């Protein structure tokens, strides 16, 4: 069937023609130059590695190539699988273990209550005295610490408060109960496609988890400790600095007294400063005050005003302002423009860090957020998932050097893309678009720190050939595009460089990382 | 919790500030200009519609917007669902019915045995005398017409031949059997994720279907009729011309005699010319001789030589050459370069229509095919799914005006992308990259003609705002980028224009399309 017996040219004649061509194909040089040009355009493509970095790179690429060859054979390639299924495979990856040890610079896109693995919340916080629990009519949990017991909620809001200590005392299997609590604090399930049939459902659940966690974390003693432990978790993942989107909702005391935004911000500042003092190889944290995009323009204007006041009062910690919540369901930035241009009209410098383009719905007013964020002078673009479909916005972002904050696992879990090789950051990366990698809400996705997201980028989004250069550049980007002052950036870079050199040395020498 | 009681600015003051800004936002004009610029960059964005086209567009967009609003409400959006599940919904769509009536110009990326719905093969062809069936050890079907009965295959190749007429005579439920035959001729299943756990599996099944179909279609009388009916199916879907990748494998007669490539090409030519004569509003078809990319370079060289000879002999019908089969498993174009530059070294004009970049594996030698296709002077790029990740290749393709052939349903079914809104053509479309839409193997995917793929593009890939302009431009593109001579293009365009005007008129007037 396959042309047998139909060969008209003798194999010998062809072999002669072919071998004569082999020697000097005029195209070979041009082709190499074009491929080299593409390699140079890729993020990090222009970096010159030191000798030791080259050695480290060889080691790293040997691991990467082996894992990719294996994945091609088994069709088990973590970046093309749902993270909930890929996680175990990732944890077995040698590349992942290298990435964990790599100093990653800054984590710039994180939310207040998604930075710390939830174990501690269940196994420690819910065991503290005066911890109450209720169930909403939709089956979600709410927590509260109070003494005396908090007033009974309206039945349409929540069940009666149950004192956890008492409740656990009546249970036969406390471990099972605690495990069920854990499940209520993350999105992780065995079969995500079945559990979350569409974006509306997973976003509703996602926002409910924040409400559940908030009941625990807004309790003043926990608030302080949660943040310190969150910093610790990122520190242990070799992150040197972080920026946190924080809603600054009222933090409460046992007696019901609540604290205002200033108190929260001050607490964040104190905790971060203490942590940095105790860990001289950690720079600290800054806060991006964030308000819900579903609120109307009057409330948004109020929050912008609040942000300006906070920025005056906490110049060291208060980095700027953002809007949070599901973009597709909230107001577009343009609908809120009267509130968002207040600082400009008042001649006040309030940096914006707008979420924009976290949507698959191209061509809606929400999808225009990527352009509007730039028009409204954003400092970075949160996600920017839609940016590659906006050639004008893309050019502005490139020319003004406004980076996107790419959070691969978040985008996958929240159903913007399934196979991460199809993440739109792939094409942006290949042309060197400014970007940083972050993890959004790692604890809620069952991840931790930045390493899982770096793994998805390095193995999946950036392609097979991507090497140490892209990792180095993305890490340098995270410092460059942070909101830190020039001085602090310099200090961070020095700290990072020292760690980087050690990391490279250990990798090059084949030391157990 | 949500800032109640914390509003420091009075609502009145803010309302005053806001209303004073509302009147003359300096940004409004700039923003509109930027959005307009993006709209102009989109494919078709620069087209000026006639008054009647504007009217038609309003009707079309009313239908589109209603369907998208409904999809957002129900989370049932066909382009983001697997086509096997979306098909029924698409068929209920009013937009789809408009698209079916739209004259679509040319279908430029199709394969020989995937152009005709399989019903006729089962309900007519397999009922013809002397039709035999056997089962391979892996459970695939093979057909053969023969008289006398064909020789018994080796057991490792296939079971004994079963005469279908006799076999059906013994069956209690022939309908059930025929339905099972139908299932063997397409990839369609209820649960594609379960049935095809990875790309290797679905590609193996896909190539097996071709072998199964080939047994029927390579029988000379069926070969002729299959092609004629295929043309009819595209004609009924309002396509004016098509180009077919054909493998030109030996066609056989009942007595076992086989025909050579020339015979096949001549038959294609005769059938197409007769069809065009009988249907003066149809231009005909041209053939792109295609060879399997897994073969070694000597065979490829032989097939290139054969292609050149065929082109001399059938200048009207023979359009050029391509390589087919799963890219990831085949040779890269560069590995085959000695064969592929033979025409150039011989000063012969053999147009190439290379499949390239039908892969998710960025950075492999296969992924370089998009660049190599261009270096090897391809006329179009088949799929070009990987092009957006290759900035240099993308620029060459743009500057040389080499289009990609986008086949959305094929790419989804063959597991390159799940939600078609994430198809990389979206970003290319938004910047006006040259492209045409085609359907690859519609019958094997359970589709038909071009309309389903146009639906996926219009509703999904091109975004919510995409309107009649993009449809018109894509249709015009299909004529412009065809392999037809300038004269023939002109004729095709005239035929298309007449149909387009009627289509637009009917749509504008609200006539039942």
């Amino acid at each position: 069937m396959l042309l047998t017996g139909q060969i008209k040219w003798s194999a010998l004649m062809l072999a002669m023609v072919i071998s004569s061509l082999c020697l000097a194909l005029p195209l070979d040089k041009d082709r190499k130059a074009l491929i080299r040009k593409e390699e140079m355009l890729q993020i990090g493509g222009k970096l010159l590695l030191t000798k030791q970095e080259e050695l480290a790179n060889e080691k790293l690429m040997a691991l990467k190539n082996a894992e990719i060859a294996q994945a091609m054979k088994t069709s088990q390639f973590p970046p093309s699988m749902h993270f909930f299924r890929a996680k175990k495979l990732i944890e077995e990856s040698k590349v992942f273990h290298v990435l964990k040890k790599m100093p990653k610079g800054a984590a710039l896109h994180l939310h207040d209550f998604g930075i710390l693995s939830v174990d501690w919340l269940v196994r420690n916080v819910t065991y503290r005295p005066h911890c109450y629990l209720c169930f909403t009519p939709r089956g979600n949990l709410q927590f509260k610490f109070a003494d005396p017991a908090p007033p009974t909620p309206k039945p349409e809001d929540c069940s009666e408060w149950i004192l956890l200590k008492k409740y656990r005392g009546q249970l036969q299997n406390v471990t099972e109960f605690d495990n069920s609590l854990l499940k209520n604090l993350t999105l992780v399930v065995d079969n995500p496609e079945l559990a979350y049939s569409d974006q509306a459902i997973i976003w509703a659940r996602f926002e409910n988890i924040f409400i559940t966690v908030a009941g625990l974390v807004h309790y003043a003693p926990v608030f302080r400790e949660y943040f310190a432990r969150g910093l610790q978790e990122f520190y242990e993942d070799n992150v040197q600095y972080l920026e946190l989107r924080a809603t600054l909702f009222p933090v409460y005391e046992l007696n019901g007294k609540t604290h205002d935004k200033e108190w929260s911000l001050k607490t964040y500042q104190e905790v971060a400063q203490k942590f940095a003092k105790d860990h001289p190889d950690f720079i600290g944290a800054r806060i991006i005050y964030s308000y819900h995009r579903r609120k109307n323009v009057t409330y948004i204007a109020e929050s912008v005003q609040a942000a300006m006041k906070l920025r005056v009062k906490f110049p060291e910690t208060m980095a700027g302002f953002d809007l949070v919540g599901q973009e597709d369901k909230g107001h577009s930035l343009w609908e809120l423009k009267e509130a968002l241009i207040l600082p400009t009209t008042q001649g006040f410098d309030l940096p914006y860090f707008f979420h924009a383009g976290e949507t698959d719905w191209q061509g809606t007013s929400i999808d225009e957020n990527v352009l509007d964020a730039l028009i409204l002078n954003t400092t970075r673009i949160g996600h920017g998932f839609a940016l590659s479909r906006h050639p004008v916005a893309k050019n502005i972002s490139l020319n003004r050097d406004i980076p996107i904050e790419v959070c691969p696992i978040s985008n996958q879990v929240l159903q913007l893309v399934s196979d991460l090789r199809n993440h739109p950051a792939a094409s942006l990366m290949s042309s060197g678009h400014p970007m940083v990698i972050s993890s959004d809400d790692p604890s809620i996705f069952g991840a931790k720190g930045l390493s899982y997201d770096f793994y998805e980028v390095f193995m999946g989004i950036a392609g097979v050939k991507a090497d140490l250069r892209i990792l180095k550049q993305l890490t340098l980007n995270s410092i460059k595009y942070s909101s830190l002052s020039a001085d602090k950036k310099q200090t961070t870079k020095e700290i990072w460089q020292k760690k980087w050199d050690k990391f490279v040395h250990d990798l090059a020498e084949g030391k157990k990382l």
Side-chain angles (χ1 to χ4, degrees), chain A residues 213 230 264 267 293 301 307 381 414 459 462 500:
Chain A
V213 172
S264 301
T267 306
R293 60 193 332 123
I381 298 173
L414 296 174
M459 295 294 281
W500 179 263

mmCIF file of all heavy atoms in Angstrom, chain A residues 213 230 264 267 293 301 307 381 414 459 462 500:
data_model
loop_
_atom_site.group_PDB
_atom_site.id
_atom_site.type_symbol
_atom_site.label_atom_id
_atom_site.label_comp_id
_atom_site.label_asym_id
_atom_site.label_seq_id
_atom_site.Cartn_x
_atom_site.Cartn_y
_atom_site.Cartn_z
ATOM 1 N N VAL A 213 -12.182 31.127 55.849
ATOM 2 C CA VAL A 213 -10.849 31.357 56.421
ATOM 3 C C VAL A 213 -10.819 32.670 57.207
ATOM 4 O O VAL A 213 -10.204 32.767 58.281
ATOM 5 C CB VAL A 213 -9.769 31.377 55.306
ATOM 6 C CG1 VAL A 213 -8.414 31.800 55.863
ATOM 7 C CG2 VAL A 213 -9.657 30.003 54.646
ATOM 8 N N GLY A 230 2.876 32.718 57.273
ATOM 9 C CA GLY A 230 2.852 32.824 55.812
ATOM 10 C C GLY A 230 4.206 33.266 55.289
ATOM 11 O O GLY A 230 4.741 32.693 54.325
ATOM 12 N N SER A 264 -4.749 47.044 60.963
ATOM 13 C CA SER A 264 -4.325 45.865 60.188
ATOM 14 C C SER A 264 -3.015 46.148 59.469
ATOM 15 O O SER A 264 -2.079 45.330 59.472
ATOM 16 C CB SER A 264 -5.393 45.488 59.155
ATOM 17 O OG SER A 264 -6.603 45.202 59.803
ATOM 18 N N THR A 267 -0.188 46.232 61.805
ATOM 19 C CA THR A 267 0.176 44.879 62.228
ATOM 20 C C THR A 267 0.993 44.181 61.152
ATOM 21 O O THR A 267 2.024 43.554 61.432
ATOM 22 C CB THR A 267 -1.096 44.074 62.564
ATOM 23 O OG1 THR A 267 -1.846 44.816 63.530
ATOM 24 C CG2 THR A 267 -0.756 42.695 63.123
ATOM 25 N N ARG A 293 -14.374 44.398 43.556
ATOM 26 C CA ARG A 293 -14.780 45.069 42.328
ATOM 27 C C ARG A 293 -16.284 45.043 42.088
ATOM 28 O O ARG A 293 -16.771 45.695 41.166
ATOM 29 C CB ARG A 293 -14.060 44.482 41.120
ATOM 30 C CG ARG A 293 -14.312 43.018 40.877
ATOM 31 C CD ARG A 293 -13.324 42.438 39.861
ATOM 32 N NE ARG A 293 -12.857 43.405 38.933
ATOM 33 C CZ ARG A 293 -11.576 43.715 38.729
ATOM 34 N NH1 ARG A 293 -10.658 43.074 39.411
ATOM 35 N NH2 ARG A 293 -11.229 44.612 37.873
ATOM 36 N N ALA A 301 -14.750 54.717 45.387
ATOM 37 C CA ALA A 301 -14.137 56.030 45.592
ATOM 38 C C ALA A 301 -13.692 56.174 47.048
ATOM 39 O O ALA A 301 -12.601 56.665 47.349
ATOM 40 C CB ALA A 301 -15.126 57.134 45.211
ATOM 41 N N ALA A 307 -7.171 54.453 50.671
ATOM 42 C CA ALA A 307 -5.838 54.004 50.247
ATOM 43 C C ALA A 307 -4.847 55.163 50.275
ATOM 44 O O ALA A 307 -3.696 54.997 50.691
ATOM 45 C CB ALA A 307 -5.917 53.399 48.847
ATOM 46 N N ILE A 381 0.137 44.440 35.854
ATOM 47 C CA ILE A 381 -1.179 43.903 35.504
ATOM 48 C C ILE A 381 -1.324 42.545 36.185
ATOM 49 O O ILE A 381 -0.532 41.632 35.933
ATOM 50 C CB ILE A 381 -1.321 43.724 33.973
ATOM 51 C CG1 ILE A 381 -1.196 45.079 33.265
ATOM 52 C CG2 ILE A 381 -2.652 43.067 33.629
ATOM 53 C CD1 ILE A 381 -1.146 44.967 31.736
ATOM 54 N N LEU A 414 -8.900 27.848 38.319
ATOM 55 C CA LEU A 414 -10.098 28.670 38.118
ATOM 56 C C LEU A 414 -10.590 28.616 36.664
ATOM 57 O O LEU A 414 -11.362 29.476 36.212
ATOM 58 C CB LEU A 414 -9.848 30.102 38.591
ATOM 59 C CG LEU A 414 -9.573 30.201 40.107
ATOM 60 C CD1 LEU A 414 -9.195 31.620 40.498
ATOM 61 C CD2 LEU A 414 -10.775 29.733 40.926
ATOM 62 N N MET A 459 8.620 23.935 33.076
ATOM 63 C CA MET A 459 8.442 22.684 32.331
ATOM 64 C C MET A 459 7.407 22.835 31.220
ATOM 65 O O MET A 459 7.550 22.245 30.161
ATOM 66 C CB MET A 459 8.002 21.572 33.291
ATOM 67 C CG MET A 459 9.029 21.207 34.326
ATOM 68 S SD MET A 459 10.524 20.443 33.608
ATOM 69 C CE MET A 459 9.952 18.761 33.330
ATOM 70 N N ALA A 462 7.004 27.616 29.308
ATOM 71 C CA ALA A 462 8.181 28.176 28.630
ATOM 72 C C ALA A 462 8.742 27.253 27.560
ATOM 73 O O ALA A 462 9.609 27.655 26.790
ATOM 74 C CB ALA A 462 9.256 28.502 29.655
ATOM 75 N N TRP A 500 21.750 33.060 45.050
ATOM 76 C CA TRP A 500 21.800 32.523 43.673
ATOM 77 C C TRP A 500 23.156 31.860 43.416
ATOM 78 O O TRP A 500 23.232 30.754 42.884
ATOM 79 C CB TRP A 500 21.540 33.650 42.672
ATOM 80 C CG TRP A 500 21.605 33.201 41.235
ATOM 81 C CD1 TRP A 500 22.666 33.310 40.391
ATOM 82 C CD2 TRP A 500 20.564 32.548 40.492
ATOM 83 N NE1 TRP A 500 22.353 32.781 39.157
ATOM 84 C CE2 TRP A 500 21.069 32.299 39.193
ATOM 85 C CE3 TRP A 500 19.265 32.153 40.793
ATOM 86 C CZ2 TRP A 500 20.311 31.678 38.190
ATOM 87 C CZ3 TRP A 500 18.507 31.535 39.792
ATOM 88 C CH2 TRP A 500 19.023 31.302 38.526
#
